[in-house]
Amino acid sequence: MSAPGADGPRPRGEAEPPVGLILAAGAGTRLGRGPKALLVTRGVTLVEHLARALLDGGCTEVVVVTGAEAARVRDEVAAVPGARARENPHWRQGMGTSLQSGLAAIGPGRDVLVTPVDRPGVSAEEVARVLAAHRCGEITAAAHRDASGRLRRGHPVLFDACWTAAAADAAHDDVGARELLRAQRERVQLVDCTDLEDGADLDLPEQLWHLGDPG
């Protein structure tokens, strides 16, 4: 795959603020607590927490892709000024369809900051750090160190406008943009956010403690 943005990077300050994209369509089957978007953290639902973090961190608006219990999730999104819901009728086919649906709702020509909804540790400070580090024409991702000290790519991930079509094309089944990020790893800038949170998501009941403490 050829790399877009051949004219070279431009400073972040010359670009329009990105649109935030939250993938919140899943039913939370493995966790067994219903849709993760509706779990409560710090007194609000997880989807509201993420939407406010993206907006406060510098996104100009937020699109939330819904699926399971779409009406309930949409009501939570409606409580956040600057956020809107986009229902994905094909959400059962996997996260890839939700990424495609969200990017289609945003349209071309915009930088997009993407995160799944099951990331309770994401904060406005982390979002702002990723945005500040971004160079136009590149892909920028929050990263967190594991127990061995290795820096591992995580979320949120900021796709420059020139990469969003490629991200949509690469998405399939439950993969999202992972294959694109691996193929273009030399264009992916990692931003160490270990001091802010550990990068954990919520998949299993033993991980639910993350809803109370992002550290």
Side-chain angles (χ1 to χ4, degrees):
M1 182 181 298
S2 61
D7 291 337
R10 292 176 287 109
R12 172 75 231 167
E14 296 181 14
E16 191 175 357
V19 177
L21 176 56
I22 301 174
L23 307 180
T29 304
R30 282 189 295 172
L31 194 61
R33 301 283 290 269
K36 298 176 187 178
L38 298 173
L39 294 174
V40 175
T41 179
R42 306 166 188 83
V44 299
T45 57
L46 197 48
V47 69
E48 179 177 344
H49 165 71
L50 265 293
R52 294 189 183 279
L54 267 58
L55 289 164
D56 292 345
C59 291
T60 186
E61 64 172 316
V62 170
V63 173
V64 179
V65 180
T66 65
E69 298 194 38
R72 291 183 62 197
V73 178
R74 183 175 63 246
D75 288 345
E76 295 297 324
V77 175
V80 183
R84 59 187 170 98
R86 164 72 172 242
E87 186 171 355
N88 172 20
H90 307 295
W91 65 270
R92 290 180 179 84
Q93 297 177 20
M95 185 175 62
T97 65
S98 290
L99 179 59
Q100 291 170 337
S101 179
L103 292 174
I106 293 167
R110 297 298 304 274
D111 296 354
V112 180
L113 183 79
V114 181
T115 185
V117 77
D118 63 350
R119 291 284 289 100
V122 172
S123 64
E125 186 176 359
E126 184 169 21
V127 171
R129 184 178 295 182
V130 172
L131 267 56
H134 183 66
R135 298 281 293 179
C136 291
E138 304 294 326
I139 302 170
T140 307
H144 312 86
R145 297 192 183 278
D146 61 17
S148 69
R150 180 183 177 186
L151 195 62
R152 294 187 176 275
R153 174 176 49 78
H155 289 91
V157 178
L158 178 55
F159 292 93
D160 194 84
C162 65
W163 286 105
T164 57
D169 288 344
H172 63 90
D173 300 319
D174 205 35
V175 173
R178 185 170 64 238
E179 292 175 355
L180 172 67
L181 294 171
R182 287 175 177 170
Q184 299 293 338
R185 61 174 59 89
E186 72 280 1
R187 303 297 296 270
V188 180
Q189 179 185 7
L190 299 183
V191 181
D192 192 346
C193 296
T194 310
D195 61 312
L196 301 177
E197 55 128 350
D198 62 6
D201 55 16
L202 299 176
D203 285 324
L204 301 171
E206 54 265 32
Q207 297 168 321
L208 285 169
W209 67 270
H210 286 284
L211 291 170
D213 182 359

